[in-house]
């Protein structure tokens, strides 16, 4: 069965500094990987996905993620954090087209002014 | 135009009551889902329908019954509500292909007293 781990409950970063939110996954076949963001009292919004191809994926709001097959990781990154990036971030994995998408427990990102 | 909409946004009710949550998507997607987000923000898939057919049915009490009258609608009916059912319920939809990311509704916050 597929699973996703987000080892950090919370990440604090000073505004302007680079940020990383970690994610590791486990699937039996090829992974389809996603990052979503949730702002308070809102639904989840899609940031980016990895299906195949380049290991570095670029997404919305200046975020990117690096797929590392050997480490089974898909860490979310941004070169320069903004206070408005403060939110709850979810990594998700799907093991086949049409299969269920499983979410990690979420990482709360705090960007300090 | 709202892509995925849910009603109601808030639902407060007594234990033992029966309630329904409605979801509609205007994206023309094949697949719709119900997710439950608990107080710790864990997101757990409950059900998935593809073209009105149930394809994913996780370990959910049979008090929860989804109904899909057509592929644009997926409703969730809950019988004999319990305190532990209090959560935010998210509807989502996706196109059923490799890159089928989820589009989420705004959520329904259910509080059982």
């Amino acid at each position: 069965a597929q699973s996703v781990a987000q080892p950090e409950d919370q990440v604090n970063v000073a505004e302007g500094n680079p940020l990383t939110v970690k994610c590791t996954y486990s699937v039996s076949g090829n992974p389809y990987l996603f990052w979503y963001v949730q702002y308070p009292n809102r639904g989840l919004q899609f940031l980016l996905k990895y299906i195949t191809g380049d290991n570095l994926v670029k997404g919305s709001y200046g975020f990117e993620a690096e797929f590392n097959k050997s480490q089974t990781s898909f860490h979310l990154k941004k070169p320069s954090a903004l206070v408005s990036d403060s939110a709850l971030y979810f990594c998700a994995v799907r093991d086949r087209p049409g299969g269920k998408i499983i979410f990690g427990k979420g990482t709360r990102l705090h960007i300090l002014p | 135009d709202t892509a995925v909409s849910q009603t109601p946004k808030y639902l407060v009710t007594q234990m033992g009551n029966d309630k329904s949550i409605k979801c509609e998507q205007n994206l023309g997607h094949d697949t719709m889902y119900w997710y439950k987000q608990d107080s710790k923000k864990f997101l757990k898939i409950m059900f998935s329908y593809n073209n009105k057919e149930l394809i994913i049915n996780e370990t959910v009490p049979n008090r929860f019954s989804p109904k899909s009258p057509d592929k644009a609608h997926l409703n969730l009916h809950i019988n004999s509500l319990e305190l532990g059912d209090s959560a935010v319920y998210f509807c989502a939809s996706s196109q059923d292909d490799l890159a089928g990311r989820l589009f989420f509704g705004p959520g329904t916050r259910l509080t059982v007293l």
Side-chain angles (χ1 to χ4, degrees), chain B residues 41-58:
Chain B
K41 305 297 184 184
F42 294 153
L43 261 174
K44 191 170 189 306
I45 189 167
M46 300 173 71
F47 302 103
S48 168
Y49 268 74
N50 180 276
N51 281 317
K52 302 193 298 174
E53 187 178 335
L54 181 67
I55 55 171
I56 293 173
N57 185 350
E58 290 296 287

Side-chain angles (χ1 to χ4, degrees), chain A residues 32 36 38 94 98 100-101, chain B residues 33 35 58 96 98 100 102:
Chain A
Y32 305 101
Y36 289 82
Q38 186 178 27
R94 181 182 239 172
K100 59 186 175 185
I101 296 180
Chain B
Y33 308 79
Y35 278 85
E58 290 296 287
D96 190 17
L98 276 175
L102 294 171

Side-chain angles (χ1 to χ4, degrees), chain A residues 46-102:
Chain A
F46 171 79
L47 279 180
L48 50 79
K49 67 187 178 209
Y50 172 83
I51 304 299
T52 186
D54 285 341
N55 289 342
L56 187 63
V57 178
K58 293 192 183 295
S60 307
Y61 313 121
F63 283 93
E64 57 191 27
E66 187 166 11
F67 171 66
N68 187 317
K69 188 171 183 177
S70 62
Q71 296 184 5
T72 61
S73 67
F74 189 57
H75 301 331
L76 182 70
K77 301 183 181 189
K78 187 171 182 180
S80 178
L82 300 172
V83 172
S84 58
D85 293 330
S86 299
L88 187 57
Y89 289 80
F90 290 93
C91 182
V93 67
R94 181 182 239 172
D95 63 353
R96 55 184 169 81
K100 59 186 175 185
I101 296 180
I102 301 298

Side-chain angles (χ1 to χ4, degrees), chain B residues 2 6 8 10 13 22-23 41 43 47 61 65 76 83 88 94 99 101-102 104 112:
Chain B
T2 304
Q6 294 178 229
Y10 299 97
T13 188
K22 295 186 176 183
C23 177
K41 305 297 184 184
L43 261 174
F47 302 103
S65 52
L76 183 65
L83 293 176
V88 181
S94 74
R101 68 171 177 99
L102 294 171
F104 280 86
V112 182

